[in-house]
Amino acid sequence: MSKRRDKSNAIPEKDSATPSQAMQVSGRLDQTRDRVLEIASRLFLLEGYGPVTVERVAREARVSKTTVYKFVRSKEQLFEISVALKANRRVVDDPLVVHDDDDLQPAFEKLGRNIVAVMTDPETLSLTRNVIAESSRFPQLAEAFHRASVTQFGRTRLIKWLEKLRADGRLQIDDASTAASQFLGMVRDAAMPRLLLGLSVKPRDLDRNAVAAADAFLKIYRPQCLQKSEKHV
């Protein structure tokens, strides 16, 4: 007696699949990929890079190790993609760059506060500490984290905004990339070392530093004619 093959869950062959069936297969793969990356992100965040294995991620996602390797080439790439997706969501939910057509002072103050909110996020700090702890053994991990970090995404958007402000004549900037690094540094450097060490920083001090950074940045890069005219408003 021949065995009957259950085709209810089989993936249709490429040549025989209808467009509808192909879309269903693609949708299932997308859902599986999203689940794998979500679980990988959670494990990396909670346990650091070293202890997490591809086998562990596959087991918790209830898929095979082979399935995970359909989406990524290595554990390092799994880390980079999961961190990048998290950073993308954070930037979309809480944009690092704001736009104000009337006065740049409140716009840059809000930008500074947004940067503070990102750098004080407990998950971001935990992941950063984990990467620092593993960077000597896995230098490529630190590079991947740097490329995928929410700060790097925000810096790219900030550069584009500064270039627009320069084109509009509202800021006098020779190098938007350098100016972006300067502003981020003024906001971050006063508190980040303490935060990474797990030391407390008072919220009012963080806010005061964000305002001071905005003021100092605009004194450097806002055209003198605009600074003088705003003093008389």
Side-chain angles (χ1 to χ4, degrees):
M1 184 176 178
S2 61
K3 295 183 179 180
R4 298 177 63 185
R5 184 180 177 186
D6 183 6
K7 297 184 179 181
S8 59
N9 294 319
I11 296 177
E13 295 181 4
K14 184 176 181 180
D15 294 338
S16 61
T18 66
S20 176
Q21 290 173 324
M23 289 179 63
Q24 290 177 1
V25 171
S26 177
R28 289 200 297 270
L29 287 174
D30 288 343
Q31 291 176 0
T32 300
R33 179 179 182 274
D34 290 345
R35 186 168 73 254
V36 167
L37 293 177
E38 285 291 341
I39 289 173
S41 179
R42 175 174 56 81
L43 291 176
F44 285 133
L45 177 65
L46 293 175
E47 302 181 17
Y49 179 81
V52 179
T53 63
V54 173
E55 291 85 348
R56 170 88 179 279
V57 173
R59 184 169 62 252
E60 297 212 11
R62 297 182 180 180
V63 297
S64 67
K65 182 179 174 181
T66 303
T67 298
V68 176
Y69 281 119
K70 288 180 180 179
F71 308 128
V72 296
R73 296 186 305 272
S74 62
K75 175 181 168 180
E76 290 83 359
Q77 189 183 43
L78 178 61
F79 174 85
E80 182 174 2
I81 294 176
S82 62
V83 171
L85 287 177
K86 180 179 177 60
N88 266 314
R89 291 195 195 104
R90 182 60 190 266
V91 171
V92 170
D93 293 340
D94 186 13
L96 288 184
V97 176
V98 295
H99 297 275
D100 189 311
D101 294 330
D102 297 322
D103 188 353
L104 290 181
Q105 184 73 35
F108 273 91
E109 288 179 5
K110 184 175 182 181
L111 171 58
R113 292 186 176 104
N114 286 347
I115 295 170
V116 166
V118 169
M119 74 180 191
T120 57
D121 175 62
E123 289 189 354
T124 300
L125 285 172
S126 177
L127 196 56
T128 302
R129 294 188 191 103
N130 288 333
V131 171
I132 292 173
E134 300 285 355
S135 61
S136 60
R137 290 193 300 158
F138 305 101
Q140 73 278 12
L141 174 65
E143 181 62 36
F145 178 74
H146 175 69
R147 288 195 305 267
S149 69
V150 70
T151 302
Q152 195 66 10
F153 277 95
R155 183 178 181 277
T156 300
R157 296 178 68 178
L158 176 56
I159 290 172
K160 292 181 179 179
W161 188 41
L162 293 178
E163 289 174 343
K164 180 180 183 301
L165 293 174
R166 176 178 60 189
D168 293 341
R170 303 180 68 191
L171 291 179
Q172 290 181 330
I173 294 175
D174 294 328
D175 186 345
S177 177
T178 298
S181 296
Q182 289 171 339
F183 183 74
L184 289 169
M186 284 191 286
V187 175
R188 290 164 48 89
D189 289 352
M192 184 56 76
R194 289 185 60 86
L195 292 170
L196 289 177
L197 290 171
L199 302 175
S200 63
V201 180
K202 295 179 180 179
R204 67 172 180 270
D205 291 337
L206 290 170
D207 188 76
R208 187 183 301 118
N209 185 65
V211 173
D215 186 60
F217 185 84
L218 291 174
K219 283 181 179 177
I220 296 171
Y221 289 112
R222 186 157 45 188
Q224 290 296 318
C225 59
L226 294 181
Q227 292 189 34
K228 292 178 180 179
S229 63
E230 289 178 359
K231 288 180 181 180
H232 297 289
V233 174

